[in-house]
Amino acid sequence: MEERCGLVSKAVHEAEKKVYRVEGFTCVNCAGKFERNVKELEGVHDAKVNFGAAKISVYGEATLEQLEKAGAFEQLRLTPEHDRSREVERTTPLSFIKKHIHVVISALFLVLGIIGQSMLGEGNGAVIGAFLVSIVVGGFSLFKVGLANLLRAQFDMKTLMTIAVIGAAIIGEWTEGAIVVILFAISEALERFSMDQARQSIRSLMDIAPKEALIQRNGETVLVPVDDIQIGDRMIVRPGQKIAMDGTVMSGRSSVNQAAITGESVPVEKHETDEVFAGTLNEEGLLEVEVTKRVEDTTLSKIIHLVEEAQAERAPSQAFIDKFAKYYTPAIMLVALLIALIPPLFFQADWGTWIYQGLAVLVVGCPCALVISTPVAIVTAIGNAARNGVLIKGGVYLEELGGLKAIAFDKTGTLTKGSPQVTDIITCAAGYTTQEALTVIAALESRSAHPLASAVIRKAEEEQVRYHEIEVNDFLSLTGKGIKGSIDGVQYQIGNLLLFPQVSAEIKEEVLRLQRQGKTDALRNRG
């Protein structure tokens, strides 16, 4: 009975789950603070932030306004995961320099202050003013969070940096204070840039599939957003278009490039009853597809979900660093306080010197390099791997890769580069050379847009075959089978076994032998 109650409770918990995309995250600590704020909202049972994917899962009832208020400390903006109505408001991304102009201005005033210090002296008002502008401009966001944390007795690296910079200003070390601020601002900008690049990998996966599709409804063909497409709808996919939804081919025949989903370099022939995937490219014929999955359940959506979950998976080193920083930060503040107080109080040492030493310990001992570098490195690696077609299911597996000494691949007997090449030319007719066969084939294939045609053309170029001089007439593409055309009044056909049902048993066996080696057949017949 207890087990059944547990299952019911879990089902209710999942039913209350809502996922939102978050814009504006700047650091891991800020994401953690946002998660804590959301958990404190009335009606929210639990919340989980995925910093790498810039998402939050909320369990319970909370309005969008309440969630954005919880993230107001960093001006976070939320969008329901499958709601595209607010996406149109996005503007063109700013360049790195424009996005971080405050860092540029801060660095400029720092340089002016250093130059002025060498010419006018350290205590000059203009020099101090330059350093002060550098500190305020470069550290505004730092101080805003750091002071708020200090008032709440929440100690993190921003609290440390804020205390250190304020202390440096109090004892008159304007140069050191400005340098600390600019270095922290640069590290924060680089962290944000790295995270944006990693998240862009996710966005590039999302952009693989079209946002709209041609759907047959009430005897008409209309363009419908993918969110409004229902299971059972009939989708029309024209040649050259990407398939927007998973489904089953009801009519038509074509070759579909599935490299984005399956990794196969050669297009797959599709006809009635065959399954097709969202994000794949219909290269030749017109297909009528019955939609079998909603947009959030497609194979592509599941791949994206796996990548996002992988980015949230914490590696052992990351978990250790986070735990270490949690205790290390207050410990280093205590050490710095003792260094600043004990020598002057008990050994009559100079207050100014030892306060400076205590502040130096705060700055040098700040764990920001550890806390920032580990999650950024892991998220960036997983995101870049996903963009290149490799799914790493979490930081723990990424770490394990570092200790590998050998890798075994199982890929249907072959590893492909995604660029087909001609490996064998076998002639069956007596007195017909491979050079003559390649010339005719290249002349015909030069009229085709099929990926295998490009392999034939490359081979012809390597062999310096003069196929350009040959005139081809009555060229026709036979969807799912091959091509045909006439040269000097002779009819030629090039294609797979479907185009040559009467081919001899010997040739069929030869084709099967090549296929067992992972090769794709292309026969040529002279009519």
Side-chain angles (χ1 to χ4, degrees):
M1 181 66 183
E2 289 180 2
E3 183 181 353
R4 183 179 297 175
C5 290
L7 292 173
V8 172
S9 175
K10 183 178 179 182
V12 172
H13 202 55
E14 287 296 323
E16 294 176 341
K17 178 182 176 181
K18 293 180 181 178
V19 182
Y20 300 86
R21 298 201 172 272
V22 185
E23 294 181 22
F25 276 148
T26 58
C27 65
V28 179
N29 285 334
C30 299
K33 183 178 178 181
F34 177 54
E35 182 179 291
R36 290 192 296 272
N37 290 350
V38 173
K39 286 180 178 179
E40 292 172 1
L41 292 175
E42 186 178 352
V44 174
H45 310 307
D46 195 12
K48 184 179 179 182
V49 167
N50 183 334
F51 178 63
K55 292 167 62 175
I56 182 170
S57 299
V58 180
Y59 299 88
E61 294 297 327
T63 64
L64 199 60
E65 290 73 19
Q66 287 176 313
L67 295 174
E68 290 190 337
K69 187 176 180 180
F73 68 96
E74 207 178 15
Q75 297 180 337
L76 300 180
R77 184 173 181 273
L78 280 73
T79 306
E81 186 175 28
H82 296 294
D83 180 13
R84 292 181 170 82
S85 61
R86 297 180 70 180
E87 291 186 357
V88 294
E89 300 172 19
R90 291 180 183 172
T91 55
T92 304
L94 298 174
S95 67
F96 183 82
I97 297 297
K98 289 181 179 178
K99 195 172 185 178
H100 303 286
I101 189 66
H102 65 287
V103 180
V104 177
I105 294 172
S106 179
L108 178 62
F109 276 94
L110 174 63
V111 172
L112 291 175
I114 293 173
I115 294 172
Q117 189 178 48
S118 63
M119 297 174 60
L120 304 174
E122 190 173 352
N124 184 273
V127 173
I128 293 174
F131 285 133
L132 182 60
V133 171
S134 177
I135 290 172
V136 172
V137 173
F140 179 74
S141 61
L142 165 67
F143 300 144
K144 185 171 68 173
V145 177
L147 290 171
N149 288 348
L150 194 58
L151 293 173
R152 298 188 185 98
Q154 296 176 351
F155 302 108
D156 60 13
M157 56 181 157
K158 290 192 175 183
T159 312
L160 279 179
M161 300 300 290
T162 301
I163 295 173
V165 173
I166 292 174
I170 291 172
I171 62 176
E173 296 293 342
W174 295 99
T175 309
E176 285 80 355
I179 290 174
V180 165
V181 166
I182 191 66
L183 290 177
F184 188 82
I186 290 172
S187 71
E188 200 174 44
L190 290 175
E191 178 194 12
R192 193 177 301 181
F193 177 74
S194 298
M195 293 305 300
D196 286 345
Q197 291 295 103
R199 289 168 187 149
Q200 186 57 43
S201 300
I202 300 291
R203 295 190 192 104
S204 65
L205 287 176
M206 293 177 179
D207 292 337
I208 289 176
K211 300 294 187 290
E212 297 177 318
L214 285 172
I215 300 295
Q216 282 187 343
R217 285 182 180 172
N218 302 321
E220 296 182 359
T221 302
V222 292
L223 200 60
V224 179
V226 291
D227 288 331
D228 298 331
I229 296 176
Q230 303 296 322
I231 294 175
D233 279 345
R234 290 296 182 96
M235 177 173 60
I236 305 299
V237 188
R238 294 168 178 164
Q241 286 185 339
K242 281 189 174 182
I243 298 171
M245 304 286 286
D246 284 10
T248 302
V249 177
M250 302 307 293
S251 67
R253 181 186 290 269
S254 181
S255 60
V256 177
N257 188 333
Q258 299 186 156
I261 303 298
T262 65
E264 295 294 336
S265 59
V266 178
V268 179
E269 300 299 331
K270 298 289 184 179
H271 46 76
E272 288 184 17
T273 73
D274 282 346
E275 187 179 10
V276 292
F277 307 107
T280 57
L281 178 64
N282 178 27
E283 295 192 334
E284 292 184 347
L286 182 75
L287 293 177
E288 185 176 326
V289 177
E290 182 177 315
V291 176
T292 56
K293 296 176 184 177
R294 289 187 56 80
V295 64
E296 61 267 22
D297 299 321
T298 63
T299 304
L300 178 61
S301 295
K302 289 179 180 177
I303 291 173
I304 293 169
H305 177 71
L306 284 172
V307 173
E308 291 178 335
E309 291 302 310
Q311 287 186 328
E313 192 77 23
R314 290 149 64 87
S317 62
Q318 185 180 353
F320 170 76
I321 290 298
D322 290 347
K323 191 172 182 180
F324 171 78
K326 179 181 178 181
Y327 296 103
Y328 178 81
T329 299
I332 203 68
M333 291 185 71
L334 179 61
V335 169
L337 182 64
L338 293 175
I339 288 174
L341 295 179
I342 289 176
L345 287 175
F346 297 100
F347 302 103
Q348 288 76 49
D350 179 64
W351 279 98
T353 300
W354 285 98
I355 288 176
Y356 180 84
Q357 297 294 341
L359 292 171
V361 170
L362 279 181
V363 176
V364 174
C366 181
C368 58
L370 287 172
V371 177
I372 288 175
S373 61
T374 309
V376 169
I378 290 171
V379 169
T380 302
I382 291 174
N384 286 338
R387 187 168 52 189
N388 288 285
V390 179
L391 174 60
I392 301 173
K393 295 179 71 175
V396 59
Y397 308 104
L398 188 66
E399 278 194 3
E400 290 295 328
L401 285 174
L404 294 182
K405 292 184 171 56
I407 300 176
F409 293 96
D410 180 12
K411 180 71 168 54
T412 60
T414 179
L415 286 175
T416 57
K417 290 182 177 180
S419 178
Q421 293 182 337
V422 175
T423 58
D424 304 88
I425 301 178
I426 302 170
T427 58
C428 300
Y432 211 80
T433 67
T434 57
Q435 192 82 353
E436 290 172 331
L438 182 59
T439 303
V440 172
I441 293 170
L444 286 163
E445 294 286 13
S446 65
R447 270 75 174 171
S448 173
H450 197 280
L452 295 182
S454 61
V456 173
I457 298 303
R458 281 196 300 273
K459 181 67 174 178
E461 297 285 353
E462 291 171 7
E463 299 290 334
Q464 298 182 343
V465 171
R466 303 175 70 177
Y467 65 93
H468 295 289
E469 301 175 2
I470 297 178
E471 183 179 349
V472 177
N473 298 309
D474 303 322
F475 178 83
L476 182 64
S477 175
L478 307 171
T479 302
K481 295 181 178 180
I483 57 175
K484 68 178 182 179
S486 61
I487 298 174
D488 295 330
V490 179
Q491 186 78 21
Y492 293 91
Q493 294 183 111
I494 301 172
N496 54 34
L497 285 174
L498 293 175
L499 191 59
F500 305 101
Q502 306 301 324
V503 73
S504 67
E506 291 80 4
I507 294 178
K508 280 186 178 179
E509 179 58 34
E510 183 68 17
V511 168
L512 292 174
R513 182 185 69 82
L514 293 172
Q515 288 179 344
R516 284 193 291 268
Q517 297 175 13
K519 299 174 182 178
T520 302
D521 61 281
L523 307 179
R524 196 217 71 175
N525 178 53
R526 177 178 177 178

